[in-house]
Amino acid sequence: HVQLVESGGGSVQAGGSLRLSCAASGHVISSYLLAWFHETTGKEREGVAYITPDGTSADYAVSVQGRFIISRDNSKNTVYLQMNGPKPEDTGTYYCARGYSGSLSRRYYDKWGQGTQVTVS
């Protein structure tokens, strides 16, 4: 049974920092792309960043470039999202997802976590 479990959400001041984690169980993540998505009230879930299976390449949404960093530790079956300098518009629920193509489009991701809430004020 494949599971992705996010943690690390909470309240943070604008300009601060927060690190989200997503732990996988039931499968080994080293063969898959992993990504973070952001969803806020009234808007569709949007891709924030993805990272390749070996961790050597990543891509980011324009809105978070230079502020957020995605990383992974395959030995721990975990992917991270370091949120530096968050802004109020970054508030929302963050989901990690397992995917099979280098894209920030939801259509390429087949397993999702339950989400973790981030509030930036």
Side-chain angles (χ1 to χ4, degrees):
H1 177 61
V2 175
Q3 257 196 317
L4 297 169
V5 179
E6 301 93 338
S7 61
S11 296
V12 60
Q13 286 192 336
S17 64
L18 195 67
R19 190 176 81 155
L20 307 182
S21 300
C22 174
S25 62
H27 70 295
V28 177
I29 66 168
S30 59
S31 299
Y32 296 94
L33 279 160
L34 294 170
W36 287 94
F37 285 75
H38 172 228
E39 185 175 297
T40 191
T41 304
K43 294 187 177 181
E44 290 190 2
R45 193 175 299 185
E46 296 181 334
V48 172
Y50 74 80
I51 188 167
T52 53
D54 61 3
T56 60
S57 183
D59 196 16
Y60 297 87
V62 171
S63 60
V64 306
Q65 283 179 357
R67 299 189 298 121
F68 292 5
I69 301 171
I70 188 171
S71 62
R72 64 194 293 162
D73 186 340
N74 287 344
S75 69
K76 296 181 179 179
N77 242 19
T78 301
V79 62
Y80 306 95
L81 185 69
Q82 179 68 42
M83 304 173 66
N84 298 320
K87 304 175 181 180
E89 52 263 43
D90 295 323
T91 293
T93 304
Y94 285 78
Y95 299 87
C96 70
R98 187 189 78 172
Y100 50 92
S101 181
S103 170
L104 291 175
S105 173
R106 291 182 59 178
R107 70 180 70 181
Y108 298 110
Y109 294 85
D110 62 350
K111 297 294 181 184
W112 297 81
Q114 83 291 345
T116 186
Q117 177 68 32
V118 173
T119 302
V120 184
S121 59

